[in-house]
Amino acid sequence: MGSVSLNVPAPRRGGGRRISCHCSPALLNLLMFLALLSTNALALLAFFSSSSPAAVHDPSAATASAASTISDHVAAIAREIDTSSHLPHRADGLPPELLLFLSPHALPLGRDARTGLTHMPASVAHSCFRSPTTLSLLAAFMSYDPHAACPRNATLQQHRLLSKACEPLPRRRCLSRGPRTAPLPASNMGVDSRRWVKPRHDYEFLLDDVLRLSAIRIRIGLDVAGGAANFAARMRDRGVTVVTTVLDNAGKPMNEFVAARGLFPLLLSPAHRFPFYDGVFDLVHVGTNALDEGGAPSMGNSGTEEALEFFMFDVDRVLRVGGLLWIDSYLCQSEERRQLVVNLIERFGYKKLKWMAGEKAGTGSAKTALYLSALLQKPAKG
């Protein structure tokens, strides 16, 4: 067999001889194989080791662990909803359509790898089941013939449920009867030709003055509890699109009336979270009673500071930075109530562009009503 000669030059400062090594090819191949094998073994050991300090302090490992914990929590919540005890002791008298909707539905792609769930329960508000009266009303709402026309009193039942914060409602498999065929009355709907256009009271701001004070262009707005959408109609004349939250009251077809005016009605109970993305509105208009309604009076929370906080934080959420919050002629029944609202507003740190507060005379009551009107600009949060 031949041999391989390795000649290694000697350092220049130590002398002049070269170092020479004669090795057989078989021995050299064996040495290279052993080196490769040991390198791979060390790499595998490092990969599968879970107790090394690097693995413990790896940020990606911590993120994966946190995500796994969140998934476990989501799965636990979903299983709790799935096995909830709202219905079993009340299910006997519920209509089949409601039970069918409330039954867990199989996920279209099978088992979810993160949560381990194979079925998902339906989405229905918890408040729908909190009292026998509301549950009875919900059962009547879901009593219908599938694939046929919806009952004639379905609209009234729907609004009664929404006023009790039973939202979202279950979907139904019946055909809507559509709007009424009789013409909508144009009178007694609260249409006022002077409101926001000509001065009526000191505490009422005019639209043109508000738009002039804005630091940004007002393009789209939200009117909370806007009634017949008179505010939206005035803003449309100035090129501004306004969505009006409307809840029919006392049988008045307010949503149909607003739509007949070519405006956008949004059927929404006062206690419900706004179904909009964060920071999409340039203007939020809060009318005379919206602050009280936003406190969910049907749930007995209209006087609490917490109920107002939930409402105001949701208003702040949908309003963009630099946008305007217009509290329009809010009437308070006591100084304590007015101070509660004022303290809550000041916590947000909004810039006061206009501010009017005082007593309203001529209310026809022995108690003096207090009013508050404010035009506020949302600041950038740190």
Side-chain angles (χ1 to χ4, degrees), residues 144-151 172-178:
Y144 62 89
D145 295 326
H147 311 133
C150 297
R172 301 191 300 178
R173 297 186 298 167
C174 61
L175 301 174
S176 172
R177 295 180 178 272

Side-chain angles (χ1 to χ4, degrees), residues 120-172:
M120 184 60 66
S123 175
V124 180
H126 174 72
S127 57
C128 296
F129 307 98
R130 65 188 176 91
S131 71
T133 302
T134 309
L135 184 60
S136 174
L137 190 59
L138 179 64
F141 176 75
M142 293 298 291
S143 297
Y144 62 89
D145 295 326
H147 311 133
C150 297
R152 292 189 178 277
N153 61 345
T155 302
L156 179 60
Q157 292 172 346
Q158 171 179 291
H159 295 306
R160 288 178 62 189
L161 286 168
L162 293 179
S163 67
K164 295 178 179 296
C166 179
E167 187 180 12
L169 289 172
R171 287 176 170 171
R172 301 191 300 178

Side-chain angles (χ1 to χ4, degrees), residues 27-226:
L27 180 59
L28 185 61
N29 290 338
L30 180 60
L31 291 174
M32 293 180 64
F33 175 75
L34 291 175
L36 181 63
L37 185 63
S38 61
T39 303
N40 290 339
L42 290 174
L44 290 173
L45 182 62
F47 180 77
F48 287 107
S49 175
S50 60
S51 59
S52 62
V56 173
H57 299 288
D58 186 11
S60 61
T63 303
S65 176
S68 176
T69 302
I70 293 174
S71 298
D72 293 342
H73 289 170
V74 172
I77 293 172
R79 281 190 289 267
E80 179 68 20
I81 295 174
D82 190 22
T83 59
S84 174
S85 59
H86 304 315
L87 291 178
H89 63 287
R90 304 175 180 172
D92 294 340
L94 296 182
E97 283 292 292
L98 180 57
L99 293 175
L100 177 63
F101 182 85
L102 294 177
S103 61
H105 299 276
L107 297 177
L109 300 180
R111 181 180 180 274
D112 181 71
R114 281 186 171 272
T115 63
L117 298 176
T118 58
H119 292 71
M120 184 60 66
S123 175
V124 180
H126 174 72
S127 57
C128 296
F129 307 98
R130 65 188 176 91
S131 71
T133 302
T134 309
L135 184 60
S136 174
L137 190 59
L138 179 64
F141 176 75
M142 293 298 291
S143 297
Y144 62 89
D145 295 326
H147 311 133
C150 297
R152 292 189 178 277
N153 61 345
T155 302
L156 179 60
Q157 292 172 346
Q158 171 179 291
H159 295 306
R160 288 178 62 189
L161 286 168
L162 293 179
S163 67
K164 295 178 179 296
C166 179
E167 187 180 12
L169 289 172
R171 287 176 170 171
R172 301 191 300 178
R173 297 186 298 167
C174 61
L175 301 174
S176 172
R177 295 180 178 272
R180 61 180 63 197
T181 56
L184 291 170
S187 60
N188 65 36
M189 281 292 183
V191 179
D192 191 335
S193 60
R194 295 181 56 191
R195 185 83 187 269
W196 304 295
V197 179
K198 299 177 182 180
R200 302 188 313 170
H201 307 285
D202 293 338
Y203 51 85
E204 290 184 353
F205 303 152
L206 303 184
L207 283 178
D208 293 333
D209 294 341
V210 170
L211 296 177
R212 196 178 300 115
L213 288 172
S214 177
I216 62 173
R217 180 188 173 192
I218 304 296
R219 302 159 300 170
I220 183 170
L222 173 66
D223 187 15
V224 183

Side-chain angles (χ1 to χ4, degrees), residues 62 67 207 225 235 262 274 291 301 326:
L207 283 178
M235 295 297 281
F274 296 130
L291 285 176
N301 295 330
W326 183 354

Side-chain angles (χ1 to χ4, degrees), residues 8 66 75 91 93 103 125-126 130 152 154 157 192 222 229 247 263 294 298 305 312 317 319 321 325 342 351 362 368:
V8 181
S103 61
H126 174 72
R130 65 188 176 91
R152 292 189 178 277
Q157 292 172 346
D192 191 335
L222 173 66
L247 188 63
L263 302 170
S298 61
E305 184 177 359
M312 288 297 296
R317 179 184 62 82
L319 184 63
V321 172
L325 171 57
V342 170
K351 180 180 179 181
T368 302

